[in-house]
Amino acid sequence: DIQMTQSPSSLCASVGDRVTITCRASQSISSCLNWYQQKPGKAPNLLIYAASSLQSGVPSRFSGSGSGTDFTLTISSLQPEDFATYYCQQSYSSPQTFGQGTKVEI
Amino acid sequence: EVQLVQSGAEVKKPGESLKISCKGSGYSFTSYWIGWVRQMPGKGLEWMGIIYPGDSDTRYSPSFQGQVTISADKSISTAYLQWSSLKASDTAMYYCARHRDGYNSGLGYWGQGTLVTVSS
């Protein structure tokens, strides 16, 4: 199985901050990396697919980059509605594993 | 509009069987992979497996192989996740989700989740 490691596990930030979350794969996954946001009690929501493509309807303050084994999710200016948990997921091969999550808190 | 509607919450006893469902609408059900994701209370997301309803090609995570069965009935656009003998450790929220596009794309559409509680 491909292991996905996110860092940090949690972070504290303020509205307006630039936030960066990283995800590392245990082997190369090309650009088959997706990012999700999950708020308490809700289903996850796809933000970024194929490492850097913005899902329709997702604000442009979210961006993704990377290829191979190292990836980054950036929120350019944190908004109140962005406080949530973020997960990366590789879709390169089965099982399509998730990272352990990064909780973004005030 | 793409929609995935899951069956309602379940409360079961250890050893009982269970089959939960996920009905797709607003798209060609047979043309997209559907996956199942587990979230145990207070924990992260776990990928369980996926099925391609067009030909029933199914892939499982080794962690769930033999523990659950994923299936689909394309005549009623519904995917299923089933257990033959539940354990207390199966208590979790289960989500179905459709791939955005092909096999390598992200999970672009999600059901609302089905909460399964297993308790004696």
Side-chain angles (χ1 to χ4, degrees):
Chain A
D1 297 6
I2 298 174
Q3 308 304 316
M4 305 301 294
T5 304
Q6 286 181 236
S7 61
S9 296
S10 65
L11 66 91
C12 292
S14 301
V15 172
D17 283 353
R18 182 181 182 87
V19 169
T20 299
I21 300 168
T22 63
C23 181
R24 174 165 287 176
S26 60
Q27 65 186 73
S28 178
I29 57 171
S30 185
S31 296
C32 298
L33 190 284
N34 312 297
W35 290 98
Y36 302 86
Q37 177 193 67
Q38 187 181 32
K39 297 181 180 179
K42 299 293 187 181
N45 182 45
L46 179 66
L47 299 175
I48 302 286
Y49 63 95
S52 60
S53 296
L54 194 67
Q55 172 72 340
S56 176
V58 174
S60 59
R61 63 181 179 273
F62 291 93
S63 63
S65 64
S67 66
T69 59
D70 294 309
F71 301 87
T72 299
L73 173 70
T74 299
I75 310 172
S76 60
S77 177
L78 198 67
Q79 297 302 300
E81 60 269 30
D82 300 336
F83 290 95
T85 301
Y86 294 83
Y87 296 91
C88 64
Q89 182 218 14
Q90 64 85 12
S91 50
Y92 181 77
S93 67
S94 179
Q96 295 186 349
T97 39
F98 289 93
Q100 81 277 17
T102 296
K103 188 172 184 178
V104 176
E105 303 174 286
I106 299 173
Chain B
E1 179 195 7
V2 174
Q3 282 195 310
L4 296 173
V5 178
Q6 297 185 230
S7 49
E10 302 274 2
V11 179
K12 292 289 192 179
K13 290 181 168 33
E16 292 186 331
S17 62
L18 176 64
K19 192 173 189 177
I20 62 176
S21 66
C22 169
K23 183 172 176 60
S25 63
Y27 73 98
S28 173
F29 183 75
T30 54
S31 300
Y32 295 87
W33 291 86
I34 288 183
W36 288 94
V37 175
R38 183 175 80 174
Q39 189 166 38
M40 299 177 77
K43 303 298 184 183
L45 305 175
E46 298 176 89
W47 189 90
M48 301 177 72
I50 52 174
I51 187 165
Y52 188 75
D55 61 6
S56 294
D57 185 5
T58 308
R59 319 280 172 90
Y60 292 94
S61 165
S63 299
F64 293 95
Q65 179 88 47
Q67 309 303 308
V68 297
T69 301
I70 294 171
S71 61
D73 185 340
K74 55 189 178 184
S75 69
I76 54 172
S77 301
T78 301
Y80 300 97
L81 178 66
Q82 68 180 87
W83 296 259
S84 59
S85 180
L86 286 160
K87 310 179 189 67
S89 57
D90 293 317
T91 295
M93 180 70 81
Y94 293 88
Y95 294 102
C96 66
R98 197 207 87 176
H99 278 229
R100 182 187 174 281
D101 195 352
Y103 176 83
N104 298 117
S105 65
L107 296 166
Y109 304 90
W110 291 71
Q112 81 276 21
T114 295
L115 181 63
V116 173
T117 304
V118 184
S119 173
S120 54

